[in-house]
Amino acid sequence: MRQRVAVIDFETSGITPGRDCRATEIGVAMVEDGRVVDRFQSLMNAGVWVPPMIEQLTGISNAMLKSAPPAHRVMRDAAAFVGETPLAAHNASFDRKFWDYELAQLGLARRQDFACTLLLSRRLLPQAPDHKLGTLTRWAGLPAAGRAHRALADAEMAANLLSHLEGTLQRQFQLADIDHALLCKLQKVTAAKVKPYLRELQAKLVV
């Protein structure tokens, strides 16, 4: 049994959260035992303007956001959906800062850590052509979940990638129970030390 994890993806109006840069869409794919078991998705209107370049990339227009529910309501619902479930994202440093910023607008704070499928794939799948989410999805033969750069599709692809990474750990290192804490530790281990680290962990489990 693999631990339940909430895999998150944001679409945003820019790179760094602030008064003029906010989340425009959130997707959450709840993954458990290797499959997506629940989903949350919504556009979110934070009153910001989306530049044409980002509108073209995501397909999320300013007109769409005008009729979207307010960001504070969406984020409150998303936070309730996730609860205390461990978190993950592809390139988690990006999604984490928006998750934290949007929570802070509600007077809330994150308690759980983020596992990062980008960092983990660099360590466990060094042979991949690159470690972009779309590339890894195609390279590993994982299901495409929909249009790239839409929050739920990207969250589901990251969830499938997380399950693939957990399966890689199980197959290569015979680790039966892979929990979120192990993933968070592993992503901080340098690529050169990953195999010795896992072999040492495997030896402890055998003993």
Side-chain angles (χ1 to χ4, degrees), residues 158-198:
N160 291 331
L161 176 59
L162 180 66
S163 296
H164 180 75
L165 291 165
E166 291 174 340
T168 299
L169 281 170
Q170 288 179 325
R171 288 189 301 274
Q172 292 187 5
F173 298 94
Q174 291 76 52
L175 299 176
D177 295 319
I178 299 167
D179 63 9
H180 186 261
L182 171 61
L183 298 176
C184 289
K185 288 178 184 176
L186 186 60
Q187 68 194 19
K188 296 176 184 177
V189 177
T190 61
K193 295 181 179 178
V194 163
K195 286 187 177 180
Y197 175 83
L198 289 170

Short mmCIF file of all heavy atoms in Angstrom, two decimals, residues 158-198:
data_model
loop_
_atom_site.label_atom_id
_atom_site.label_comp_id
_atom_site.label_asym_id
_atom_site.label_seq_id
_atom_site.Cartn_x
_atom_site.Cartn_y
_atom_site.Cartn_z
N ALA A 158 1.61 14.61 -13.18
CA ALA A 158 2.59 14.55 -12.09
C ALA A 158 2.26 13.42 -11.12
O ALA A 158 3.17 12.78 -10.57
CB ALA A 158 2.65 15.89 -11.36
N ALA A 159 0.97 13.18 -10.90
CA ALA A 159 0.56 12.08 -10.03
C ALA A 159 0.96 10.73 -10.64
O ALA A 159 1.45 9.83 -9.94
CB ALA A 159 -0.94 12.12 -9.79
N ASN A 160 0.76 10.59 -11.95
CA ASN A 160 1.17 9.35 -12.63
C ASN A 160 2.69 9.18 -12.58
O ASN A 160 3.20 8.07 -12.42
CB ASN A 160 0.69 9.37 -14.08
CG ASN A 160 -0.81 9.26 -14.20
OD1 ASN A 160 -1.47 8.65 -13.35
ND2 ASN A 160 -1.37 9.85 -15.24
N LEU A 161 3.40 10.30 -12.71
CA LEU A 161 4.86 10.24 -12.63
C LEU A 161 5.30 9.86 -11.22
O LEU A 161 6.23 9.06 -11.06
CB LEU A 161 5.46 11.60 -13.02
CG LEU A 161 6.98 11.74 -12.89
CD1 LEU A 161 7.71 10.70 -13.74
CD2 LEU A 161 7.41 13.16 -13.28
N LEU A 162 4.64 10.40 -10.21
CA LEU A 162 4.98 10.04 -8.83
C LEU A 162 4.80 8.54 -8.62
O LEU A 162 5.67 7.88 -8.02
CB LEU A 162 4.08 10.81 -7.86
CG LEU A 162 4.31 10.54 -6.37
CD1 LEU A 162 5.69 11.02 -5.93
CD2 LEU A 162 3.21 11.21 -5.53
N SER A 163 3.71 7.98 -9.12
CA SER A 163 3.49 6.54 -9.00
C SER A 163 4.57 5.75 -9.73
O SER A 163 5.03 4.70 -9.25
CB SER A 163 2.11 6.17 -9.54
OG SER A 163 1.10 6.77 -8.77
N HIS A 164 5.00 6.26 -10.90
CA HIS A 164 6.07 5.60 -11.65
C HIS A 164 7.38 5.63 -10.87
O HIS A 164 8.11 4.63 -10.83
CB HIS A 164 6.23 6.30 -13.00
CG HIS A 164 7.31 5.72 -13.87
ND1 HIS A 164 7.16 4.53 -14.55
CD2 HIS A 164 8.57 6.16 -14.15
CE1 HIS A 164 8.27 4.26 -15.22
NE2 HIS A 164 9.14 5.24 -14.99
N LEU A 165 7.68 6.75 -10.24
CA LEU A 165 8.90 6.87 -9.44
C LEU A 165 8.87 5.93 -8.24
O LEU A 165 9.87 5.30 -7.90
CB LEU A 165 9.07 8.32 -8.98
CG LEU A 165 9.40 9.33 -10.09
CD1 LEU A 165 9.19 10.76 -9.61
CD2 LEU A 165 10.82 9.15 -10.60
N GLU A 166 7.71 5.83 -7.60
CA GLU A 166 7.58 4.90 -6.48
C GLU A 166 7.76 3.47 -6.95
O GLU A 166 8.41 2.65 -6.27
CB GLU A 166 6.21 5.08 -5.82
CG GLU A 166 6.06 6.40 -5.08
CD GLU A 166 4.65 6.63 -4.56
OE1 GLU A 166 3.70 6.00 -5.06
OE2 GLU A 166 4.50 7.46 -3.66
N GLY A 167 7.20 3.15 -8.12
CA GLY A 167 7.38 1.81 -8.68
C GLY A 167 8.83 1.52 -9.01
O GLY A 167 9.32 0.40 -8.82
N THR A 168 9.55 2.53 -9.49
CA THR A 168 10.98 2.38 -9.78
C THR A 168 11.75 2.06 -8.50
O THR A 168 12.63 1.18 -8.49
CB THR A 168 11.53 3.67 -10.41
OG1 THR A 168 10.84 3.92 -11.65
CG2 THR A 168 13.02 3.57 -10.68
N LEU A 169 11.42 2.74 -7.42
CA LEU A 169 12.06 2.46 -6.13
C LEU A 169 11.77 1.04 -5.67
O LEU A 169 12.65 0.34 -5.16
CB LEU A 169 11.58 3.46 -5.08
CG LEU A 169 12.23 4.84 -5.11
CD1 LEU A 169 11.48 5.79 -4.18
CD2 LEU A 169 13.69 4.76 -4.72
N GLN A 170 10.54 0.61 -5.84
CA GLN A 170 10.17 -0.75 -5.42
C GLN A 170 10.89 -1.81 -6.23
O GLN A 170 11.40 -2.79 -5.69
CB GLN A 170 8.66 -0.93 -5.54
CG GLN A 170 7.87 -0.17 -4.48
CD GLN A 170 6.38 -0.34 -4.63
OE1 GLN A 170 5.87 -0.45 -5.75
NE2 GLN A 170 5.66 -0.37 -3.53
N ARG A 171 10.95 -1.62 -7.55
CA ARG A 171 11.56 -2.62 -8.43
C ARG A 171 13.08 -2.68 -8.25
O ARG A 171 13.66 -3.77 -8.15
CB ARG A 171 11.23 -2.32 -9.89
CG ARG A 171 9.79 -2.59 -10.28
CD ARG A 171 9.62 -2.48 -11.78
NE ARG A 171 9.99 -1.15 -12.28
CZ ARG A 171 9.16 -0.11 -12.33
NH1 ARG A 171 7.92 -0.23 -11.89
NH2 ARG A 171 9.57 1.05 -12.82
N GLN A 172 13.72 -1.53 -8.21
CA GLN A 172 15.18 -1.51 -8.21
C GLN A 172 15.78 -1.73 -6.83
O GLN A 172 16.91 -2.21 -6.73
CB GLN A 172 15.67 -0.18 -8.79
CG GLN A 172 15.37 -0.01 -10.27
CD GLN A 172 16.01 1.22 -10.86
OE1 GLN A 172 16.76 1.94 -10.20
NE2 GLN A 172 15.73 1.49 -12.12
N PHE A 173 15.05 -1.36 -5.79
CA PHE A 173 15.64 -1.43 -4.45
C PHE A 173 14.80 -2.23 -3.46
O PHE A 173 15.09 -2.24 -2.27
CB PHE A 173 15.88 -0.02 -3.92
CG PHE A 173 16.86 0.76 -4.75
CD1 PHE A 173 16.41 1.60 -5.76
CD2 PHE A 173 18.22 0.61 -4.57
CE1 PHE A 173 17.31 2.30 -6.55
CE2 PHE A 173 19.13 1.31 -5.36
CZ PHE A 173 18.68 2.15 -6.35
N GLN A 174 13.76 -2.91 -3.98
CA GLN A 174 12.92 -3.79 -3.15
C GLN A 174 12.42 -3.09 -1.87
O GLN A 174 12.43 -3.67 -0.79
CB GLN A 174 13.67 -5.07 -2.77
CG GLN A 174 13.92 -6.00 -3.95
CD GLN A 174 15.05 -5.54 -4.85
OE1 GLN A 174 16.15 -5.25 -4.39
NE2 GLN A 174 14.80 -5.44 -6.14
N LEU A 175 12.03 -1.84 -2.04
CA LEU A 175 11.47 -1.08 -0.91
C LEU A 175 9.96 -1.23 -0.95
O LEU A 175 9.28 -0.67 -1.82
CB LEU A 175 11.88 0.39 -1.00
CG LEU A 175 13.38 0.68 -0.97
CD1 LEU A 175 13.65 2.16 -1.16
CD2 LEU A 175 13.99 0.20 0.35
N ALA A 176 9.42 -1.98 -0.03
CA ALA A 176 7.99 -2.29 -0.05
C ALA A 176 7.14 -1.09 0.34
O ALA A 176 6.13 -0.79 -0.29
CB ALA A 176 7.69 -3.46 0.88
N ASP A 177 7.54 -0.39 1.39
CA ASP A 177 6.76 0.74 1.89
C ASP A 177 7.50 2.05 1.59
O ASP A 177 8.51 2.35 2.20
CB ASP A 177 6.53 0.61 3.40
CG ASP A 177 5.67 -0.60 3.74
OD1 ASP A 177 4.70 -0.85 3.00
OD2 ASP A 177 5.98 -1.30 4.72
N ILE A 178 6.97 2.77 0.63
CA ILE A 178 7.59 4.05 0.24
C ILE A 178 6.67 5.16 0.71
O ILE A 178 5.58 5.36 0.15
CB ILE A 178 7.79 4.11 -1.28
CG1 ILE A 178 8.71 2.98 -1.73
CG2 ILE A 178 8.35 5.47 -1.70
CD1 ILE A 178 8.74 2.74 -3.19
N ASP A 179 7.09 5.86 1.74
CA ASP A 179 6.24 6.92 2.26
C ASP A 179 6.73 8.29 1.81
O ASP A 179 7.82 8.44 1.23
CB ASP A 179 6.11 6.85 3.79
CG ASP A 179 7.43 7.05 4.52
OD1 ASP A 179 8.43 7.43 3.87
OD2 ASP A 179 7.46 6.85 5.74
N HIS A 180 5.93 9.28 2.06
CA HIS A 180 6.20 10.65 1.64
C HIS A 180 7.49 11.17 2.27
O HIS A 180 8.27 11.89 1.63
CB HIS A 180 5.01 11.52 2.02
CG HIS A 180 5.08 12.93 1.54
ND1 HIS A 180 5.50 13.97 2.34
CD2 HIS A 180 4.79 13.49 0.34
CE1 HIS A 180 5.45 15.10 1.66
NE2 HIS A 180 5.02 14.84 0.45
N ALA A 181 7.73 10.81 3.52
CA ALA A 181 8.94 11.28 4.21
C ALA A 181 10.19 10.79 3.50
O ALA A 181 11.18 11.54 3.38
CB ALA A 181 8.93 10.80 5.66
N LEU A 182 10.19 9.55 3.02
CA LEU A 182 11.34 9.02 2.28
C LEU A 182 11.56 9.82 1.00
O LEU A 182 12.70 10.17 0.67
CB LEU A 182 11.12 7.55 1.95
CG LEU A 182 12.16 6.92 1.00
CD1 LEU A 182 13.55 6.98 1.60
CD2 LEU A 182 11.77 5.49 0.64
N LEU A 183 10.49 10.13 0.28
CA LEU A 183 10.61 10.89 -0.95
C LEU A 183 11.21 12.28 -0.68
O LEU A 183 12.06 12.76 -1.43
CB LEU A 183 9.25 11.03 -1.63
CG LEU A 183 8.58 9.72 -2.07
CD1 LEU A 183 7.19 10.01 -2.63
CD2 LEU A 183 9.42 8.98 -3.09
N CYS A 184 10.76 12.90 0.39
CA CYS A 184 11.27 14.24 0.73
C CYS A 184 12.74 14.19 1.11
O CYS A 184 13.50 15.12 0.82
CB CYS A 184 10.44 14.84 1.87
SG CYS A 184 8.76 15.32 1.36
N LYS A 185 13.17 13.11 1.76
CA LYS A 185 14.59 12.94 2.08
C LYS A 185 15.40 12.66 0.82
O LYS A 185 16.48 13.22 0.62
CB LYS A 185 14.77 11.80 3.08
CG LYS A 185 14.28 12.10 4.49
CD LYS A 185 14.46 10.89 5.38
CE LYS A 185 13.89 11.13 6.78
NZ LYS A 185 13.97 9.91 7.63
N LEU A 186 14.87 11.80 -0.02
CA LEU A 186 15.59 11.37 -1.22
C LEU A 186 15.85 12.53 -2.17
O LEU A 186 16.91 12.61 -2.80
CB LEU A 186 14.80 10.27 -1.92
CG LEU A 186 15.45 9.59 -3.12
CD1 LEU A 186 16.77 8.94 -2.71
CD2 LEU A 186 14.51 8.56 -3.71
N GLN A 187 14.91 13.45 -2.29
CA GLN A 187 15.08 14.56 -3.23
C GLN A 187 16.18 15.53 -2.80
O GLN A 187 16.64 16.34 -3.60
CB GLN A 187 13.76 15.30 -3.44
CG GLN A 187 13.27 16.08 -2.23
CD GLN A 187 11.81 16.51 -2.38
OE1 GLN A 187 11.05 15.97 -3.19
NE2 GLN A 187 11.41 17.50 -1.63
N LYS A 188 16.61 15.42 -1.54
CA LYS A 188 17.69 16.28 -1.05
C LYS A 188 19.06 15.61 -1.16
O LYS A 188 20.09 16.25 -0.93
CB LYS A 188 17.42 16.65 0.41
CG LYS A 188 16.17 17.50 0.59
CD LYS A 188 15.88 17.76 2.06
CE LYS A 188 14.58 18.53 2.24
NZ LYS A 188 14.25 18.72 3.68
N VAL A 189 19.07 14.32 -1.49
CA VAL A 189 20.33 13.59 -1.66
C VAL A 189 20.90 13.93 -3.04
O VAL A 189 20.17 13.95 -4.03
CB VAL A 189 20.09 12.07 -1.53
CG1 VAL A 189 21.39 11.30 -1.77
CG2 VAL A 189 19.51 11.74 -0.17
N THR A 190 22.18 14.19 -3.12
CA THR A 190 22.78 14.49 -4.43
C THR A 190 22.66 13.27 -5.34
O THR A 190 22.66 12.12 -4.88
CB THR A 190 24.26 14.88 -4.29
OG1 THR A 190 24.99 13.78 -3.72
CG2 THR A 190 24.42 16.11 -3.41
N ALA A 191 22.59 13.54 -6.64
CA ALA A 191 22.38 12.47 -7.61
C ALA A 191 23.44 11.38 -7.49
O ALA A 191 23.14 10.18 -7.60
CB ALA A 191 22.36 13.05 -9.02
N ALA A 192 24.68 11.77 -7.25
CA ALA A 192 25.78 10.79 -7.16
C ALA A 192 25.65 9.88 -5.95
O ALA A 192 26.20 8.77 -5.94
CB ALA A 192 27.11 11.53 -7.12
N LYS A 193 24.92 10.31 -4.93
CA LYS A 193 24.82 9.54 -3.69
C LYS A 193 23.50 8.80 -3.53
O LYS A 193 23.27 8.14 -2.52
CB LYS A 193 25.04 10.46 -2.49
CG LYS A 193 26.44 11.05 -2.43
CD LYS A 193 26.62 11.94 -1.21
CE LYS A 193 28.03 12.51 -1.14
NZ LYS A 193 28.22 13.41 0.02
N VAL A 194 22.63 8.90 -4.54
CA VAL A 194 21.31 8.29 -4.42
C VAL A 194 21.38 6.77 -4.28
O VAL A 194 20.77 6.19 -3.39
CB VAL A 194 20.43 8.68 -5.63
CG1 VAL A 194 19.22 7.75 -5.74
CG2 VAL A 194 19.94 10.11 -5.48
N LYS A 195 22.13 6.11 -5.16
CA LYS A 195 22.19 4.65 -5.11
C LYS A 195 22.81 4.15 -3.81
O LYS A 195 22.25 3.24 -3.18
CB LYS A 195 22.93 4.10 -6.34
CG LYS A 195 22.09 4.19 -7.61
CD LYS A 195 22.77 3.49 -8.77
CE LYS A 195 21.86 3.55 -10.00
NZ LYS A 195 22.50 2.88 -11.18
N PRO A 196 23.95 4.71 -3.36
CA PRO A 196 24.48 4.28 -2.05
C PRO A 196 23.49 4.52 -0.90
O PRO A 196 23.37 3.68 -0.01
CB PRO A 196 25.75 5.13 -1.88
CG PRO A 196 26.15 5.48 -3.27
CD PRO A 196 24.89 5.62 -4.04
N TYR A 197 22.80 5.64 -0.96
CA TYR A 197 21.81 5.96 0.09
C TYR A 197 20.70 4.91 0.12
O TYR A 197 20.33 4.41 1.19
CB TYR A 197 21.23 7.34 -0.18
CG TYR A 197 20.11 7.74 0.75
CD1 TYR A 197 20.35 8.28 2.00
CD2 TYR A 197 18.78 7.57 0.36
CE1 TYR A 197 19.32 8.64 2.85
CE2 TYR A 197 17.73 7.93 1.20
CZ TYR A 197 18.01 8.47 2.45
OH TYR A 197 16.97 8.82 3.28
N LEU A 198 20.20 4.54 -1.05
CA LEU A 198 19.10 3.57 -1.12
C LEU A 198 19.57 2.16 -0.77
O LEU A 198 18.83 1.39 -0.15
CB LEU A 198 18.46 3.61 -2.51
CG LEU A 198 17.64 4.87 -2.80
CD1 LEU A 198 17.24 4.93 -4.27
CD2 LEU A 198 16.40 4.94 -1.91
#
